[in-house]
Amino acid sequence: MKFFIMLLMVIGCVFASEVKVDGAYSKMLGNPFKAKLEVKTQDIAVVSSPVKNLELVVETNREREFGFYNPTFTLNSSDCSNVLRTFLSEDFNIVATSSNSATCEIVRGKVILTYVREQERWMNQLSDIVVELTVRVKSTVNGTVKEFTADSKMNKELNKTGENYGLSIRAVWNPDYSNVEQNIQKIAEHSIYDILNKNLNGASR
Amino acid sequence: MKNLFFLVLLPFLFTGCMTVTANYNPEYNSLEKNDYISKVNKSSVSVDYSDFVLKRSPTSLSGSALTYEIHNELFSKVSFDFFSQYFNNVKYNQKSSDYYSKVELIDFGVSFYSLGDGSKVYIKIKYSFYDKNKELFSKVYETTQENNIILRPFAFTKKESSLELIQKATFLMFETQIKPDILNAL
């Protein structure tokens, strides 16, 4: 029995939790006006890059001590193409046999976790999550090859600033039940979409 | 006798009679606004910018001495924010644009909670959308929103939260009520 518990603890420490970038959040960024007003005339094939497990660098505001270890996260570097697919489907028809092609790969990633309580190692309440990503994209559209590597840094608020009734205490409460992995996924998908929007926009023209 | 007269007059001196103007503040709807959408490049939208003022007093007992004034400019600017989420070319008062959007404030109302620091806002507008010069649709929309604030530290009056609510309610009305109608008309 003791051995079994030990084994469970070892397994828990060794395996990092995986962040799935499957395009669930980037699908919500579609533009309904574009679907109505613009006709898709060109085809493109989204090519997945080779599958590679990427370990994210994790930084926290807490010192490493007994009973606290930095959480570890892994990411599939080729999952970037899921976001690329939803982005390109706004302008192109996605056809696997097309002569136009695009591919995307996450080169490196870093997660910065800010704990509310720096000293209390048993209270894992987070006040902010920052995700830094480096993405490499290559696209070939009508014979024009475009290749670039871009960085992004995005926080839990998706880099938005603004007021939400200031310091008020409200009767309506919208708790965010999503866990750390889901939050990292949401931030990662938004930042990849943002990179593509800034660098690849107008690829169809 | 003179002192008694002033003592009777005193409460009336602090009734808080004043005019509150609801000005546009980009901070109020920047959290709701989505900047990550891939935008429409080929079509342009123009937003009507006409300015007139409407004045109303809160219907609740507290705050009834206040007079709220809203410039129609606020609605033009919020609709500009709404369209710039989806379109790259959004301008004011440009007749040569592909689409033309016009908002007119018809009526509004503000009331305060008797308990707590919250407020309730009612807005009624007339919205018209044109394809060049042809009117696609014209409709009257109304919305009622509450902010459910129980306590707001460091705020001396309830009016700040109501100003924020007026703008948030308008932006929400564009996203939930007006957007589906525009998409249907296109």
Side-chain angles (χ1 to χ4, degrees):
Chain A
M1 190 64 196
K2 259 182 193 169
F3 173 75
F4 188 66
I5 291 168
M6 273 291 269
L7 195 75
L8 274 180
M9 281 171 80
V10 167
I11 290 169
C13 290
V14 167
F15 289 100
S17 47
E18 197 190 341
V19 179
K20 284 191 182 109
V21 180
D22 56 3
Y25 290 95
S26 61
K27 265 179 197 149
M28 289 189 256
L29 293 171
N31 187 344
F33 288 95
K34 207 166 200 171
K36 274 269 177 183
L37 296 170
E38 292 183 359
V39 185
K40 291 187 254 186
T41 51
Q42 284 187 308
D43 298 347
I44 201 162
V46 177
V47 183
S48 294
S49 56
V51 176
K52 204 163 68 185
N53 245 352
L54 194 80
E55 197 165 319
L56 299 175
V57 181
V58 180
E59 266 182 25
T60 59
N61 61 341
R62 200 180 265 184
E63 278 177 32
R64 261 184 83 169
E65 54 180 340
F66 179 72
F68 174 76
Y69 299 96
N70 272 357
T72 45
F73 304 103
T74 59
L75 198 75
N76 188 350
S77 67
S78 69
D79 273 355
C80 182
S81 55
N82 292 331
V83 182
L84 183 71
R85 190 172 290 116
T86 53
F87 174 76
L88 288 173
S89 63
E90 293 276 303
D91 292 298
F92 295 90
N93 297 311
I94 307 291
V95 179
T97 52
S98 170
S99 59
N100 295 334
S101 71
T103 177
C104 176
E105 190 193 358
I106 302 169
V107 185
R108 66 186 93 78
K110 186 176 166 188
V111 178
I112 303 162
L113 301 173
T114 312
Y115 287 94
V116 178
R117 294 263 175 183
E118 252 178 81
Q119 306 298 328
E120 307 284 330
R121 60 177 184 272
W122 308 113
M123 290 178 75
N124 292 330
Q125 199 185 353
L126 292 166
S127 62
D128 199 10
I129 303 168
V130 178
V131 177
E132 290 180 30
L133 285 182
T134 307
V135 175
R136 190 188 296 137
V137 182
K138 189 183 175 185
S139 74
T140 315
V141 179
N142 300 332
T144 321
V145 182
K146 195 173 182 183
E147 194 170 359
F148 63 89
T149 309
D151 303 302
S152 78
K153 187 176 181 179
M154 199 174 271
N155 64 7
K156 201 162 167 268
E157 300 290 335
L158 308 174
N159 287 352
K160 293 180 192 173
T161 52
E163 284 185 49
N164 221 345
Y165 304 111
L167 290 157
S168 59
I169 298 165
R170 302 178 69 201
V172 193
W173 189 41
N174 285 323
D176 186 5
Y177 286 120
S178 52
N179 57 25
V180 189
E181 287 85 357
Q182 280 166 328
N183 267 307
I184 294 173
Q185 182 196 345
K186 184 181 168 189
I187 301 164
E189 289 193 13
H190 273 85
S191 45
I192 295 169
Y193 206 91
D194 192 33
I195 288 173
L196 295 172
N197 216 345
K198 277 176 185 156
N199 294 286
L200 215 61
N201 207 359
S204 58
R205 278 163 293 119
Chain B
M1 192 60 200
K2 222 183 212 174
N3 286 347
L4 193 72
F5 175 72
F6 276 113
L7 219 67
V8 170
L9 203 71
L10 207 64
F12 293 97
L13 290 172
F14 295 101
T15 44
C17 288
M18 65 185 291
T19 308
V20 185
T21 315
N23 285 321
Y24 168 81
N25 186 343
E27 292 266 289
Y28 290 164
N29 54 18
S30 58
L31 283 177
E32 279 84 8
K33 214 177 129 189
N34 198 335
D35 295 321
Y36 299 111
I37 294 168
S38 119
K39 293 174 188 178
V40 175
N41 289 313
K42 287 169 187 166
S43 314
S44 55
V45 175
S46 173
V47 174
D48 178 75
Y49 190 98
S50 51
D51 203 8
F52 57 88
V53 190
L54 225 64
K55 288 182 185 178
R56 296 281 184 277
S57 282
T59 46
S60 55
L61 192 64
S62 62
S64 53
L66 294 169
T67 308
Y68 272 75
E69 57 173 40
I70 304 185
H71 292 254
N72 196 52
E73 172 199 79
L74 176 89
F75 298 93
S76 303
K77 286 181 173 172
V78 171
S79 60
F80 188 93
D81 268 359
F82 164 76
F83 279 112
S84 56
Q85 293 182 107
Y86 305 103
F87 291 85
N88 253 337
N89 289 320
V90 187
K91 287 188 177 99
Y92 287 115
N93 282 345
Q94 202 109 88
K95 285 280 175 197
S96 57
S97 294
D98 297 330
Y99 299 101
Y100 197 75
S101 147
K102 193 178 180 184
V103 202
E104 273 173 88
L105 176 62
I106 298 175
D107 193 14
F108 77 94
V110 182
S111 62
F112 294 139
Y113 290 0
S114 45
L115 290 171
D117 279 342
S119 47
K120 198 173 175 180
V121 156
Y122 164 75
I123 295 164
K124 189 177 181 183
I125 59 161
K126 187 185 173 206
Y127 185 78
S128 324
F129 193 69
Y130 301 86
D131 183 348
K132 290 255 163 56
N133 292 318
K134 198 182 87 188
E135 188 183 274
L136 288 180
F137 74 94
S138 184
K139 200 173 156 185
V140 174
Y141 294 90
E142 46 191 345
T143 183
T144 311
Q145 289 283 328
E146 288 175 63
N147 54 15
N148 299 299
I149 292 176
I150 300 169
L151 189 68
R152 190 178 159 107
F154 307 113
F156 299 107
T157 54
K158 298 175 179 184
K159 68 173 198 294
E160 285 99 346
S161 68
S162 64
L163 295 176
E164 197 169 335
L165 184 63
I166 290 167
Q167 199 176 319
K168 274 191 201 294
T170 313
F171 191 78
L172 203 73
M173 181 159 62
F174 266 96
E175 277 289 323
T176 55
Q177 297 183 36
I178 302 177
K179 188 169 97 176
D181 283 344
I182 298 174
L183 286 167
N184 273 334
L186 283 172

